[in-house]
């Protein structure tokens, strides 16, 4: 099955977001380590959780696109059934 450009972009952004979360967590922890390990860990967890919401948003775009495509298929099928039975 061929992917359209939207699926390719969403796939790329999901991969890039995962990398950003990983490296961003390391950088965030390193930046706030001078404040103490507990606070640095807490700030890193907050960063990771907020970044995961961005990934969930991208995944929601993908799911909504699949739902739209399925609805279009069902609409075509219903139109065929209606045309067949309305004669």
């Amino acid at each position: 099955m061929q992917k359209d450009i939207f699926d390719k972009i969403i796939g790329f952004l999901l991969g890039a977001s995962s990398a950003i979360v990983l490296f961003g967590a390391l950088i965030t922890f390193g930046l706030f380590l001078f404040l103490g390990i507990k606070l640095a860990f807490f700030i890193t967890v907050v960063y990771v959780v907020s970044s995961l919401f961005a990934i969930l948003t991208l995944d929601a775009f993908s799911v909504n696109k699949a739902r739209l495509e399925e609805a279009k298929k069902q609409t075509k099928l219903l139109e065929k059934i209606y045309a067949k039975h309305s004669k």
Side-chain angles (χ1 to χ4, degrees):
M1 182 167 76
Q2 282 189 337
K3 288 184 164 184
D4 62 349
I5 190 73
F6 181 81
D7 290 332
K8 290 179 182 178
I9 291 172
I10 292 295
F12 173 76
L13 289 175
L14 282 171
S17 297
S18 300
I20 289 171
V21 169
L22 179 66
F23 290 120
L26 292 173
I27 292 170
T28 302
F29 185 77
L31 285 174
F32 290 99
L33 191 58
F34 74 94
L35 296 174
I37 292 177
K38 290 180 184 180
L39 185 60
F41 183 74
F42 176 73
I43 292 171
T44 303
V45 168
V46 170
Y47 170 79
V48 168
V49 169
S50 63
S51 298
L52 289 177
F53 280 117
I55 293 175
L56 288 175
T57 303
L58 290 172
D59 192 42
F61 286 137
S62 179
V63 168
N64 284 336
K65 184 169 187 309
R67 187 185 313 165
L68 177 64
E69 289 173 359
E70 188 64 32
K72 286 180 181 180
K73 290 178 188 176
Q74 291 175 2
T75 302
K76 287 181 184 179
L77 181 61
L78 288 172
E79 286 173 351
K80 287 180 184 178
I81 292 171
Y82 179 75
K84 185 177 182 181
H85 290 291
S86 66
K87 289 183 181 179

